[in-house]
Amino acid sequence: MSVSAEDIFNKIMDAAETAFNEGWVVVKNYAPAEFRKMAVQLESIAENVAAFEIDKSQGYSPATGKVLFRMQRRATEAVLIAVTQLTLMAVEKALNAIIKVVKEAFGAALAAAL
Amino acid sequence: MNRILALLGMAMLVSACGSIRLVSDYDEVIDRGVTEFSEQLSTHAKNMSELAGKPDGTYEATLMKYNALDSKIEGLITRARNNSDGKICKLHRETLARIKVLMKEQTPSQLQEGTDVSTATENSCSSRLLELARDQLSDIRTIHRDIDKCGPGMDISCLRPATSKDALAIAMQSANAVAIVETAKKSR
């Protein structure tokens, strides 16, 4: 049995793409949803501070708005770290899929040669 | 013969290369702990929203709940830190650049750029995510204790309904960041 570089390359590409896409779907679903939540929250902070300025029994004070804004920045950091971790997991899946293909390719070639 | 030896050599090389781990293993304690933290924080915020302006909704009446939540998240942080071997959370250059744009001079010094990503640095990122969730709780406590006021004279400490709703939504983003990473680890 011959070892074809082209054949192995194609198998590696297929395996890596499939594995990476499986992990990447999680990132693609998670990140935009969280960024949308951030936009909604920032709008809500502005609206509630404005409501308080008109009627002190409504919304919340600018001081509270300031703390909530700080919390939102912190949440942004958390989302970006999570996205990084999820991306790493997608890369990890792709790398392991490649190793599996290579192992199978050489295992089969070895069995045939012996 | 040479061909068989070459194949044998390649097979040995490849088999020596076990599966690669760029991210640490799933931690059931952290997963379950952060879920419980989220549930309890959610219940607390909703209770405070309904009790705003009443004696049961003051900071003094509820500070034990804050202490309990704080202890819970601190325990999870300690667990994650113990697994990080003193390493720091390193992020990819582009991710860190975006965080710096957003946070400017307040960018945490714990975050650094690095290519030597390992399970130890990744555990440190888990620890960092939990620290962020703890800091969110601390800010809710600050608002409740020092800033929001309710009652006829606007002199009773409280979490206003609008504050509770927004603070909870934001804090949940941080807690969910921990949960989604653990869920992804579990499913691989």
Side-chain angles (χ1 to χ4, degrees), chain A residues 20-56:
Chain A
F20 186 80
N21 284 342
E22 280 171 13
W24 189 242
V25 163
V26 180
V27 179
K28 276 206 313 192
N29 290 337
Y30 171 68
E34 294 303 307
F35 294 144
R36 182 166 292 282
K37 283 183 201 168
M38 287 174 200
V40 169
Q41 281 312 129
L42 291 171
E43 183 184 51
S44 180
I45 291 171
E47 284 176 358
N48 278 297
V49 170
F52 179 87
E53 297 292 353
I54 296 165
D55 178 351
K56 297 286 185 266

Side-chain angles (χ1 to χ4, degrees), chain A residues 4-18 97-98 101 105:
Chain A
S4 158
E6 189 63 25
D7 188 36
I8 293 174
F9 172 75
N10 288 334
K11 282 181 181 171
I12 285 175
M13 288 302 289
D14 286 347
E17 189 179 349
T18 305
I98 289 170
V101 165

